[in-house]
């Protein structure tokens, strides 16, 4: 847990059980305070995801975590939390309000002295937005592969850079990559 002190802004922070009964209850209360940014420790349930989407739709910057292992699964998981009869509407809401997904895996460093993040970054462009809305998230992979100019990055490319720099052992990267060919040739 982190305590965020107010420096050049006002920070109101709540902890579940200590200050509030649930994420959803805290989020509803936060919405009444008209914040600029809402940070949610974890999207755990339907109510919290629904409130987070509503907050984003109303112009709030919502930052949240979700336990998935890549950007596409994150999008699918958010949609999949909802009952099937609501998923079309949720896809539309998400396609209009989602701006980016950053997926990370913390890997042990090659020297064994710490951890380093391998990142996958999905920037929601018009093309990505259309794929989400049309329930074609499986096609987002190709957009990720070709979207470097928009700031996108595949996890495998991040792993390759970590291996090439010597930060992560190749064997560790191989356990986490989607396609071993993306790591490049062995040295």
């Amino acid at each position: 847990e982190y305590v965020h002190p107010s420096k050049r802004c006002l920070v109101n922070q709540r902890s579940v059980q200590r200050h509030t009964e649930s994420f959803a209850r805290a989020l509803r209360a936060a919405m009444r305070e008209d914040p600029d940014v809402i940070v949610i420790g974890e999207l755990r349930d339907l109510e919290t995801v629904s409130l987070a989407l509503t907050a984003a739709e109303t112009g709030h910057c919502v930052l949240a975590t979700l336990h998935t292992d890549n950007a596409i699964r994150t999008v699918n998981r958010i949609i999949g939390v909802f009952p099937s009869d609501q998923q079309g509407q949720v896809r539309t809401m998400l396609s209009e309000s989602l701006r980016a997904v950053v997926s990370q895996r913390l890997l042990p460093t090659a020297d064994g002295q710490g951890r380093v993040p391998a990142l996958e970054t999905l920037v929601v462009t018009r093309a990505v937005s259309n794929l989400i809305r049309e329930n074609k998230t499986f096609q987002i992979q190709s957009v990720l592969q070709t979207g470097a100019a928009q700031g996108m990055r595949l996890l495998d490319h991040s792993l390759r850079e970590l291996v090439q720099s010597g930060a992560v052992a190749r064997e560790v990267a191989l356990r986490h990559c989607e396609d071993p060919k993306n790591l490049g040739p062995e040295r």
Side-chain angles (χ1 to χ4, degrees):
E1 296 295 326
Y2 297 94
V3 175
H4 300 280
S6 297
K7 290 183 181 173
R8 290 187 282 170
C9 64
L10 179 61
V11 176
N12 290 323
Q13 188 167 340
R14 294 176 182 87
S15 294
V16 174
Q17 294 179 343
R18 183 172 182 189
H19 301 113
T20 185
E21 294 173 13
S22 68
F23 279 98
R25 189 170 187 162
L27 191 50
R28 274 194 300 280
M31 293 282 290
R32 288 192 291 272
E33 296 174 15
D34 192 30
D36 295 319
V37 179
I38 299 171
V39 180
I40 304 170
E42 184 180 351
L43 296 176
R44 295 177 183 227
D45 56 36
L46 172 62
E47 187 176 17
T48 305
V49 174
S50 180
L51 287 167
L53 274 173
T54 299
E57 268 197 318
T58 58
H60 297 87
C61 177
V62 179
L63 305 172
T65 65
L66 186 63
H67 292 277
T68 58
D69 62 358
N70 70 32
I72 296 168
R73 286 187 187 103
T74 300
V75 171
N76 288 335
R77 177 116 174 252
I78 290 170
I79 295 166
V81 165
F82 291 85
S84 58
D85 63 324
Q86 295 177 17
Q87 289 181 3
Q89 177 186 356
V90 170
R91 275 193 294 279
T92 299
M93 290 170 66
L94 193 61
S95 72
E96 293 171 357
S97 58
L98 186 66
R99 296 293 173 254
V101 176
V102 178
S103 182
Q104 80 171 6
R105 295 190 195 174
L106 291 176
L107 307 175
T109 55
D111 64 8
Q113 298 300 306
R115 295 193 177 276
V116 64
L119 303 172
E120 180 168 275
T121 307
L122 172 65
V123 176
V124 182
T125 60
R126 266 199 191 131
V128 172
S129 181
N130 287 334
L131 292 173
I132 292 170
R133 187 176 19 265
E134 295 170 9
N135 196 20
K136 296 181 179 177
T137 55
F138 61 92
Q139 293 180 2
I140 293 174
Q141 182 76 12
S142 63
V143 177
L144 272 168
Q145 290 171 335
T146 59
Q150 290 87 23
M152 296 192 220
R153 164 184 220 160
L154 280 171
L155 177 70
D156 287 2
H157 294 162
S158 180
L159 290 168
R160 180 180 60 225
E161 289 174 9
L162 291 170
V163 168
Q164 288 174 345
S165 71
V168 171
R170 184 175 181 81
E171 299 75 38
V172 171
L174 283 168
R175 287 196 302 266
H176 293 275
C177 72
E178 296 285 327
D179 183 355
K181 289 183 281 186
N182 288 335
L183 292 182
E186 266 190 77
R187 292 182 182 192

